[in-house]
Amino acid sequence: MSSTYQSLRDRQVASIERILNLNHVPQETELHHESPSSNGLIPKSTPILNSDGEPIWKVLVFDGLGSDVISSVLRVNDLRGWGITIHLNINANRHPIPDVPVIYFVEPTAKNLELITKDLQAGLYSPAYINFLTSISRPLLEDFASQTAQAGTSESISQVYDQYLNFIVSEPNLFSLGMGKDTYWAMNSAQISDDEMDANVDRIMSGLFSVAVTMGTIPIIRCPKGGAAEMIAAKLDRKLRDHILNAKDNLFSTKTSANGAVATSSRPVLIIVDRNVDLVPMLSHSWTYQSLIHDVLSMRLNRITVEMPVDEADPSKGSTKKSYDLTQSDFFWNKNASVPFPQVAEDIDAELTRYKDDAAEVTKKTGANSIEDLQNDTGASAQHLKAAITLLPELRERKALLDMHMNIATALLKGIKDRQLDNFFQLEEDIKKQTKAQILELINDSDKGKEAADKLRLFIIWFLSTEQEVSRADMERFEEALKKSEVDITPLAYIRRHVDLVREVTRMTMITSAPTQPQPTQSTSAELFRGFSSISSRLTDRFKDAGLGANFDNLISGVKNFLPANKDLTLTKITESLMDPQNASTSALQKTEGFLYFDPRSANARGTVPPTAKDARSGTAQSRGIEASFGQRRQGFSEAIVFTVGGGSMDEYGNLQEWAKRTSGGASGAAVARKRVVYGSTELVDAGSFLGELGKLGREST
């Protein structure tokens, strides 16, 4: 069945490609008479042609969110393949390109509608295919119709579609709503007005509705009582319920809907939680490839920015920034994103060896000295030269990817060594065992890394996790030591003032569990992770061959080698208790026992009219949803969408994927159903940005 499974990214890409194809839906004959509802897949589009049999060339115009949605999954070459000759921001100055079709991919705002009307009135493009990222409200649609009538541009508009794509997909099962890196502050600040809070809740509800539409299924919604999570769940339940009852064209019907999504046979569970359920993953140091990149380097929309020296041999010449794009076809990233960094280093070595062997095999047959020489070598036999030229593109692409990941690994290693991230990660693995004296000693140690913020992160994690009593005098000593380290301690003001809310919630929900797999023996661990020291000479040779300099050996020395403990995070345990209650721990089941239950398809599991933020803050909100029955509490699911309100963590995403992989039946045909988990958040937030949010809340508290 895995061959017919489409991830959230697959479905979003298919929807975007259909938009780029002027919303052309393949006819039944093009689908080989196969009903799309038979397997729940979005039908694959092929570029439509004009009357001369040539591709239809088009202009793409998007706003900020539209740009983010597309650029996270498609690159310029992909757009060109669908006939996009130029792509422009709607707010930029644009020149006329008469009689060329334009695709608008924008949010339905009054400003965007005004700009579209001005474009068409000025004759910049024609005809226009207007695609809104989410459904346009009736008042805005009426205003747009009025503007169009007054400007006389109705004949220039070919299509107007609601597309339900106002979410950003970074990985196959990872999405965010692009709400900015201050959402945690906005959802917890007393300075935010009720109207602003309601707008945030509506934005989240709209994004989750779009995810459900793209996945082609109506989820069962579970959330804890109280807080923003319950408000969002109630509003989403009402929107889904109203849509099923009132929409003429049900987006979740068995037929292919306007956005191409098709209803699937099984329904997922949508788990909505507030960020306060566990703050630790937002601040923790990780040891996996993708989490380290998110923490150490600048990464946004699958684009990584690396700072590299202009001249490796002469650091005084300064540095330059280079950007790399992670794509779906990146075999190395697909294989290594979620694995511990020492294993990534070893795999670079293995892949480079494989590349050199393949390149040597090709050159040996042709008699050339290297791959580069093949372009100018006329002495090779025609047959061997033809075979070599056939292999050249694949070899070049593989070499380019390995060069990119070697540069990223070099930057990561420098960050690991400068900040001693291996030490911080190892301490956090057993954070509860650390005493007050040990934590204070670490903060006072000037040799522990070059970034004092790492010490603050470690201290907050310890403070939220420890069962030791921390007196006011203890806290003053910790704060004084952190000040000497020249770190901004305003985040502590929020953590300390809201200790009952934050620390107790975190400690209660930090569902402890023993490692889910027996730890390997020392010899097995040594075999699995032979350590940076053991591969440094070989890897250094590879990096030298790639022209990355001779300093790699110095970087790699002294970095610790260890096997991370296989532990499930709190959110993973909550997910397990709701997806697989038969195998979940008692503590996890107790935590989710009181979760509310919404089923938009059921007449019973329904709520009252969703309250406003003012009602929720004043305590006058009515209870909504239903208390789950025993059967509903023990209902299992094979698919889940897990959403955190107030920021998401790469650690949580990786941990959820690892749990789903570990507990599924696998490829051996076991009776255990394959589990799939989609992880989403208001925004993926790195630890530095989250400290900034805590700092803003801390300044409000003082």
Side-chain angles (χ1 to χ4, degrees):
M1 294 298 291
S2 60
S3 61
T4 60
Y5 171 71
Q6 283 184 319
S7 67
L8 181 63
R9 182 171 66 184
D10 294 333
R11 287 176 170 270
Q12 190 186 58
V13 168
S15 296
I16 293 172
E17 287 177 344
R18 194 197 60 261
I19 292 169
L20 300 179
N21 209 24
L22 305 181
N23 290 297
H24 172 72
V25 178
Q27 301 301 312
E28 190 173 336
T29 54
E30 299 175 63
L31 292 172
H32 307 291
H33 302 283
E34 179 184 352
S35 171
S37 61
S38 64
N39 56 17
L41 303 184
I42 298 178
K44 188 73 175 176
S45 297
T46 53
I48 57 174
L49 307 175
N50 61 19
S51 56
D52 297 326
E54 297 175 349
I56 298 176
W57 300 107
K58 305 170 281 280
V59 175
L60 174 63
V61 177
F62 43 54
D63 59 4
L65 182 58
S67 172
D68 290 349
V69 169
I70 290 179
S71 61
S72 62
V73 292
L74 296 177
R75 295 292 176 245
V76 174
N77 287 341
D78 301 317
L79 295 178
R80 195 168 293 126
W82 289 96
I84 303 298
T85 56
I86 187 170
H87 51 90
L88 303 162
N89 192 293
I90 195 169
N91 295 302
N93 291 325
R94 289 168 284 121
H95 300 291
I97 310 178
D99 301 320
V100 173
V102 60
I103 298 171
Y104 286 98
F105 190 59
V106 296
E107 290 188 272
T109 65
K111 181 183 177 183
N112 285 341
L113 295 177
E114 185 180 336
L115 289 171
I116 291 172
T117 302
K118 284 182 178 179
D119 286 354
L120 301 181
Q121 194 171 18
L124 263 61
Y125 326 101
S126 181
Y129 297 81
I130 301 170
N131 298 272
F132 295 120
L133 283 161
T134 185
S135 58
I136 184 171
S137 65
R138 184 62 180 259
L140 273 178
L141 187 60
E142 291 175 352
D143 287 347
F144 185 46
S146 176
Q147 290 176 31
T148 301
Q150 290 176 9
T153 57
S154 59
E155 291 186 2
S156 298
I157 299 175
S158 179
Q159 296 175 352
V160 179
Y161 272 93
D162 292 337
Q163 293 293 354
Y164 302 101
L165 290 171
N166 56 333
F167 59 94
I168 300 163
V169 179
S170 308
E171 293 283 319
N173 293 303
L174 172 67
F175 74 93
S176 70
L177 301 185
M179 293 179 64
K181 296 188 176 183
D182 61 354
T183 318
Y184 180 78
W185 167 79
M187 303 304 288
N188 290 276
S189 171
Q191 296 182 1
I192 293 295
S193 69
D194 293 336
D195 288 342
E196 289 174 304
M197 178 66 79
D198 284 336
N200 283 331
V201 169
D202 287 341
R203 170 69 182 89
I204 296 168
M205 180 271 296
S206 171
L208 290 175
F209 181 84
S210 295
V211 170
V213 171
T214 302
M215 294 183 70
T217 182
I218 296 178
I220 288 170
I221 307 168
R222 302 296 305 273
C223 71
K225 292 180 181 178
E230 185 181 356
M231 295 168 63
I232 294 162
K235 285 196 171 186
L236 180 60
D237 173 66
R238 175 54 61 99
K239 185 175 178 68
L240 287 166
R241 195 179 294 277
D242 289 347
H243 176 78
I244 295 168
L245 291 174
N246 302 325
K248 293 180 180 178
D249 296 317
N250 187 344
L251 293 170
F252 302 96
S253 65
T254 55
K255 296 179 181 179
T256 306
S257 63
N259 84 328
V262 182
T264 54
S265 55
S266 61
R267 297 174 63 190
V269 58
L270 168 60
I271 304 165
I272 306 175
V273 296
D274 292 307
R275 182 65 270 169
N276 283 329
V277 76
D278 187 12
L279 296 184
V280 170
M282 302 301 294
L283 300 168
S284 61
H285 297 86
S286 182
W287 202 231
T288 63
Y289 193 31
Q290 63 184 0
S291 294
L292 276 170
I293 289 174
H294 202 63
D295 187 6
V296 178
L297 306 178
S298 173
M299 180 178 178
R300 185 175 184 273
L301 302 177
N302 285 345
R303 172 163 288 187
I304 302 170
T305 304
V306 176
E307 197 164 312
M308 300 177 62
V310 174
D311 186 347
E312 189 78 30
D314 187 4
S316 63
K317 291 185 179 180
S319 60
T320 182
K321 289 186 177 179
K322 191 167 184 178
S323 295
Y324 299 103
D325 291 326
L326 296 173
T327 63
Q328 297 181 53
S329 59
D330 187 335
F331 74 94
F332 190 86
W333 177 257
N334 293 336
K335 179 182 176 183
N336 289 290
S338 61
V339 305
F341 190 63
Q343 194 171 328
V344 175
E346 290 195 1
D347 202 46
I348 288 180
D349 175 45
E351 288 295 340
L352 280 167
T353 300
R354 190 165 71 90
Y355 166 78
K356 291 186 79 173
D357 290 345
D358 291 349
E361 183 69 22
V362 171
T363 55
K364 186 172 75 171
K365 289 180 179 178
T366 59
N369 293 322
S370 69
I371 288 290
E372 288 72 20
D373 292 343
L374 282 174
Q375 299 174 73
N376 306 315
D377 190 353
T378 58
S381 69
Q383 183 180 357
H384 287 152
L385 194 58
K386 181 180 178 181
I389 290 173
T390 305
L391 292 171
L392 270 176
E394 190 272 336
L395 285 171
R396 281 202 190 120
E397 183 180 354
R398 206 189 330 162
K399 179 66 162 55
L401 280 174
L402 292 175
D403 284 348
M404 177 184 82
H405 285 286
M406 285 191 294
N407 285 330
I408 293 170
T410 303
L412 285 181
L413 278 166
K414 189 175 186 307
I416 290 170
K417 189 166 184 180
D418 287 348
R419 294 167 55 183
Q420 297 189 24
L421 297 180
D422 49 340
N423 286 324
F424 283 104
F425 173 73
Q426 205 166 22
L427 283 168
E428 290 168 14
E429 284 282 89
D430 288 314
I431 193 67
K432 287 188 175 183
K433 294 181 180 178
Q434 307 302 317
T435 65
K436 287 184 276 190
Q438 288 172 320
I439 295 294
L440 191 60
E441 181 183 355
L442 179 139
I443 295 172
N444 285 319
D445 189 345
S446 59
D447 293 330
K448 291 295 183 185
K450 292 184 178 180
E451 284 196 21
D454 289 316
K455 294 180 179 179
L456 179 61
R457 288 163 59 182
L458 180 86
F459 173 72
I460 294 176
I461 291 170
W462 174 81
F463 180 65
L464 292 173
S465 309
T466 185
E467 296 177 0
Q468 304 171 52
E469 189 61 40
V470 182
S471 66
R472 178 172 295 187
D474 291 332
M475 183 59 78
E476 288 175 356
R477 281 193 292 272
F478 285 125
E479 289 182 355
E480 190 63 33
L482 287 165
K483 284 180 182 177
K484 287 180 181 177
S485 298
E486 299 182 352
V487 65
D488 180 11
I489 64 167
T490 50
L492 290 180
Y494 172 74
I495 296 291
R496 192 175 60 180
R497 183 174 291 270
H498 295 79
V499 65
D500 291 334
L501 169 67
V502 178
R503 188 185 184 197
E504 293 305 316
V505 167
T506 303
R507 282 170 59 181
M508 282 171 57
T509 57
M510 279 187 68
I511 304 165
T512 57
S513 63
T516 51
Q517 291 179 344
Q519 289 298 299
T521 62
Q522 191 171 1
S523 60
T524 308
S525 179
E527 186 178 336
L528 180 60
F529 294 98
R530 286 166 287 173
F532 286 130
S533 58
S534 64
I535 63 169
S536 62
S537 59
R538 289 182 291 130
L539 202 54
T540 302
D541 291 340
R542 303 290 187 267
F543 275 56
K544 284 179 183 175
D545 290 343
L548 298 179
N551 292 331
F552 187 75
D553 194 32
N554 294 330
L555 282 172
I556 217 167
S557 63
V559 178
K560 288 188 177 180
N561 162 47
F562 46 81
L563 178 65
N566 193 1
K567 294 189 297 187
D568 289 337
L569 297 176
T570 296
L571 189 59
T572 303
K573 282 294 182 183
I574 290 173
T575 303
E576 181 182 40
S577 70
L578 294 172
M579 280 188 77
D580 189 12
Q582 289 185 336
N583 295 313
S585 65
T586 304
S587 57
L589 289 171
Q590 288 174 346
K591 173 60 188 169
T592 58
E593 199 79 0
F595 271 41
L596 294 174
Y597 184 99
F598 296 86
D599 183 356
R601 285 197 181 278
S602 168
N604 297 321
R606 62 188 305 172
T608 62
V609 174
T612 62
K614 184 177 180 181
D615 294 332
R617 285 178 171 177
S618 63
T620 58
Q622 291 179 297
S623 178
R624 51 206 174 277
I626 66 167
E627 301 286 348
S629 66
F630 181 80
Q632 290 165 339
R633 287 198 302 269
R634 296 297 179 265
Q635 180 180 355
F637 297 89
S638 61
E639 193 168 359
I641 307 164
V642 182
F643 187 85
T644 56
V645 181
S649 156
M650 271 292 189
D651 267 8
E652 282 182 332
Y653 170 66
N655 198 250
L656 282 165
Q657 299 307 311
E658 179 61 31
W659 170 80
K661 181 180 177 181
R662 190 177 68 240
T663 57
S664 294
S668 60
V672 182
R674 171 79 184 270
K675 293 186 179 67
R676 296 188 176 95
V677 179
V678 175
Y679 176 73
S681 62
T682 47
E683 184 73 79
L684 279 172
V685 183
D686 60 272
S689 299
F690 193 72
L691 277 179
E693 291 188 86
L694 293 178
K696 286 176 71 175
L697 291 167
R699 284 186 283 275
E700 290 179 15
S701 302
T702 55

